[in-house]
Amino acid sequence: ESVVNTMRGRINYELEQVTLGGIKSYVPEIRRCRRLLMIGCGTSYHSAIATRQLLEELTELPVMIDLASDFLDRNTPIFRDDVCFFISQSGETADTLSALRYCKSRGALIVGITNTVGSTICRESHCGVHINAGPEIGVASTKAYTSQILSLTMFALVMSEDRISLQPRRSEIIQGLKALPDMIRKVLEQDNKVLEIAKQLYEKRSLLIMGRGFNFATCLEGALKVKELTYMHSEGIQAGELKHGPLALVDSTVPIIMIVTRDHVFSKCMNALQQVTARDGRPILICEEGDTETAKM
């Protein structure tokens, strides 16, 4: 439902047009910029990681991602032709707000992406996107995460509107967004399956979650949610980094979740999967529906 609300009135599927009213008048200025910076904390930082690849592909600009707390510790050079995105569910996150003021004082264009109308980040940024996810009731931010990803994806679509070479990819993404709410419903129907797996894992000491490409952010975010909700140690691992250390942790006792989807890094993920099984790891796979080859592993 929050996904539908984020996209409501902003995407015209027939004409394949995306309108973000909050940044409309600033789009020409954003197109002229030198680089995009995305700054957030926790879940908001992960939503920036999740959309970075798409933003780089559709805007063809360098995209930097920073944790707000770390960004402030470093005295980062900021230029007048930078565009800085500040992502925050509440719009009041202290670190993110300090980073915003730091960038603003150096003359960068500030774009706020928040879920709360009239919040401090909303008021202090030049323009912004409101994610319309509805109030976040629990501490662990869930729907704000998906809505932040969608808002940034829609921004990428707005930026690539006038690029003829990117049109096929763009329409593929828009049709994907159209199908998204139904797909989420389908996944939520698998509650019982998930419950069975959870019953096997809840007494374990730690959990590793692996993936790469578009799925790496999901691993980080999943690990963060496991920490917040179950107080169990868990870690999101970039599958490409497996042989540079984390493989030492893998054995038959450590629970591992791997995300393997049929995208451009599929073969690399399968490689990581084979390395894990060679060490007697017993990974739980999250793969696509009807993908029997992966499921056999």
Side-chain angles (χ1 to χ4, degrees):
E1 194 150 282
S2 63
V3 169
V4 178
N5 284 339
T6 303
M7 298 191 287
R8 178 172 286 140
R10 288 175 170 173
I11 302 183
N12 182 330
Y13 298 109
E14 281 66 49
L15 299 175
E16 297 197 342
Q17 280 176 341
V18 182
T19 316
L20 292 172
I23 57 169
K24 206 171 178 181
S25 52
Y26 284 89
V27 168
E29 197 178 328
I30 298 174
R31 284 209 177 104
R32 287 198 301 270
C33 76
R34 195 196 309 200
R35 58 176 181 168
L36 304 175
L37 280 95
M38 298 165 93
I39 296 163
C41 301
T43 294
S44 305
Y45 171 70
H46 295 158
S47 68
I49 295 178
T51 43
R52 176 188 202 164
Q53 195 174 339
L54 203 67
L55 276 164
E56 287 177 333
E57 182 186 341
L58 292 178
T59 61
E60 293 176 355
L61 290 165
V63 179
M64 321 271 295
I65 302 183
D66 261 310
L67 280 163
S69 48
D70 179 53
F71 179 82
L72 289 165
D73 295 346
R74 289 199 330 255
N75 279 338
T76 320
I78 295 292
F79 307 106
R80 274 196 309 235
D81 48 5
D82 287 339
V83 173
C84 304
F85 285 78
F86 292 91
I87 312 168
S88 163
Q89 192 278 127
S90 63
E92 304 288 347
T93 317
D95 287 330
T96 312
L97 200 52
S98 310
L100 183 149
R101 288 170 180 154
Y102 174 88
C103 294
K104 200 173 181 179
S105 66
R106 281 163 174 69
L109 180 70
I110 310 293
V111 185
I113 294 185
T114 65
N115 190 25
T116 316
V117 182
S119 58
T120 318
I121 289 182
C122 262
R123 295 197 306 270
E124 296 201 11
S125 48
H126 296 118
C127 58
V129 182
H130 187 258
I131 67 171
N132 297 331
E136 191 70 79
I137 309 295
V139 172
S141 152
T142 44
K143 57 185 183 178
Y145 174 68
T146 43
S147 294
Q148 281 162 351
I149 292 180
L150 280 175
S151 301
L152 290 165
T153 303
M154 289 190 294
F155 167 74
L157 293 170
V158 168
M159 291 288 283
S160 60
E161 212 157 45
D162 53 358
R163 298 271 175 90
I164 291 174
S165 58
L166 295 172
Q167 290 313 307
R169 175 72 173 133
R170 204 169 162 267
S171 65
E172 182 190 343
I173 292 169
I174 291 177
Q175 293 315 314
L177 291 177
K178 189 179 182 178
L180 186 64
D182 294 331
M183 289 181 171
I184 292 178
R185 279 187 203 102
K186 257 190 185 165
V187 172
L188 292 176
E189 283 165 12
Q190 303 194 14
D191 268 1
N192 297 335
K193 252 190 199 172
V194 176
L195 185 64
E196 280 167 36
I197 295 173
K199 280 177 178 163
Q200 296 165 21
L201 297 184
Y202 80 101
E203 286 174 325
K204 302 277 191 190
R205 286 206 15 240
S206 96
L207 170 68
L208 305 179
I209 307 178
M210 300 180 194
R212 63 188 297 164
F214 286 114
N215 297 320
F216 176 49
T218 312
C219 299
L220 293 177
E221 181 55 23
L224 182 68
K225 288 292 162 275
V226 172
K227 287 178 199 128
E228 281 184 313
L229 299 174
T230 64
Y231 307 118
M232 174 169 134
H233 167 259
S234 89
E235 194 179 346
I237 293 175
Q238 163 50 301
E241 285 292 299
L242 198 57
K243 48 178 102 45
H244 302 287
L247 198 57
L249 297 172
V250 175
D251 59 24
S252 56
T253 59
V254 178
I256 300 169
I257 293 178
M258 294 188 77
I259 305 178
V260 185
T261 52
R262 292 274 174 172
D263 50 14
H264 59 290
V265 291
F266 176 71
S267 55
K268 294 175 181 174
C269 284
M270 289 306 271
N271 180 15
L273 179 55
Q274 281 150 5
Q275 286 179 6
V276 169
T277 45
R279 290 277 182 121
D280 285 338
R282 315 234 329 260
I284 296 162
L285 295 184
I286 298 178
C287 56
E288 291 181 22
E289 197 176 25
D291 185 356
T292 48
E293 183 198 339
T294 313
K296 276 183 201 146
M297 297 292 290

